[in-house]
Amino acid sequence: EAQVTQNPRYLITVTGKKLTVTCSQNMNHEYMSWYRQDPGLGLRQIYYSMNVEVTDKGDVPEGYKVSRKEKRNFPLILESPSPNQTSLYFCASSPWQLPPATNYGYTFGSGTRLTVV
Amino acid sequence: AQSVAQPEDQVNVAEGNPLTVKCTYSVSGNPYLFWYVQYPNRGLQFLLKYITGDNLVKGSYGFEAEFNKSQTSFHLKKPSALVSDSALYFCAVLTGFQKLVFGTGTRLLVSP
């Protein structure tokens, strides 16, 4: 089954304790991206990657790091989490198509609910 | 900057009545538009998209959306609402570098 797998689904941590949220896709997609969802703000892009070893900042990158050493994996790293990073996080992948073909689409993971206390 | 706006935080409709969730867009060039739904404690589910072709797009669960270039709108519609349609709905536009930009979301509440 084509999917994006995120782990963990739920995480409660303390301020300053480094954590990694993993993301893996099995569709051989070039493009991967991380979003955070907050009430009233919708989903905002944190980082994205157009291919292996190519990453760039999205709209809200502060406090986050990413890496893309393999095509299938795109982990999100919080070096020193703070309470304002409490949020629902989504990983997504898509084929690289500009302009998009009619069958184009993003595939989203199930989400990671992070609480930083 | 390319963006979408969802002017209503919440839409209330009675079961069996038609529903509309509004979305307007602001893009330069051709708009590529999407609707997603999020049920409680669930991830995002794709409903439908407009890439090119017919202005009336049909999607999952009986939803449809009409692309209106003159009004820069892409409203989501369903002829007869179900209680199970109650969820959070997001409109989104695909921008440069394949970034999907989302609206702030509209909560749909369908009452029995």
Side-chain angles (χ1 to χ4, degrees):
Chain A
E1 180 189 355
Q3 60 185 356
V4 175
T5 304
Q6 280 179 242
N7 280 298
R9 289 292 307 276
Y10 301 92
L11 179 59
I12 301 174
T13 190
V14 296
T15 298
K17 186 177 181 181
K18 181 180 178 180
L19 67 90
T20 299
V21 184
T22 63
C23 174
S24 181
Q25 51 97 0
N26 62 1
M27 296 161 283
N28 202 36
H29 285 166
E30 294 84 8
Y31 187 89
M32 298 187 73
S33 181
W34 277 102
Y35 287 84
R36 60 177 287 173
Q37 181 185 355
D38 301 292
L41 297 176
L43 284 85
R44 295 174 293 168
Q45 190 183 58
I46 303 171
Y47 267 95
Y48 67 94
S49 169
M50 290 188 281
N51 215 323
V52 176
E53 303 292 0
V54 182
T55 63
D56 207 347
K57 297 177 180 177
D59 298 317
V60 288
E62 294 77 21
Y64 304 94
K65 285 176 58 177
V66 293
S67 69
R68 187 92 181 272
K69 294 183 170 60
E70 304 165 284
K71 197 172 186 179
R72 63 184 291 121
N73 295 325
F74 191 45
L76 180 69
I77 303 158
L78 284 72
E79 295 268 0
S80 183
S82 63
N84 64 12
Q85 293 178 298
T86 292
S87 187
L88 179 59
Y89 291 86
F90 287 101
C91 181
S93 74
S94 72
W96 181 257
Q97 288 180 5
L98 279 177
T102 52
N103 63 349
Y104 174 86
Y106 265 50
T107 303
F108 283 87
S110 299
T112 297
R113 186 165 293 281
L114 172 65
T115 302
V116 184
V117 298
Chain B
Q2 307 199 84
S3 64
V4 291
Q6 295 181 245
E8 301 154 319
D9 291 335
Q10 182 163 313
V11 170
N12 298 304
V13 64
E15 188 174 33
N17 284 356
L19 70 88
T20 298
V21 183
K22 295 180 180 177
C23 174
T24 59
Y25 64 88
S26 175
V27 305
S28 54
N30 293 322
Y32 307 114
L33 299 160
F34 299 77
W35 274 102
Y36 287 86
V37 60
Q38 184 179 37
Y39 297 101
N41 299 313
R42 301 283 293 276
L44 288 163
Q45 295 184 29
F46 168 76
L47 278 179
L48 52 80
K49 67 188 174 201
Y50 174 81
I51 301 291
T52 186
D54 290 340
N55 290 343
L56 184 63
V57 180
K58 294 189 182 296
S60 308
Y61 313 122
F63 284 92
E64 59 187 28
E66 185 169 10
F67 171 68
N68 189 318
K69 191 171 184 177
S70 62
Q71 297 186 5
T72 62
S73 67
F74 190 57
H75 301 331
L76 182 70
K77 299 183 180 185
K78 188 174 182 181
S80 178
L82 300 172
V83 172
S84 57
D85 292 329
S86 298
L88 187 58
Y89 290 80
F90 290 101
C91 181
V93 62
L94 188 68
T95 68
F97 294 106
Q98 286 204 189
K99 175 181 171 181
L100 207 57
V101 174
F102 287 84
T104 51
T106 299
R107 189 164 300 281
L108 174 66
L109 185 60
V110 182
S111 55

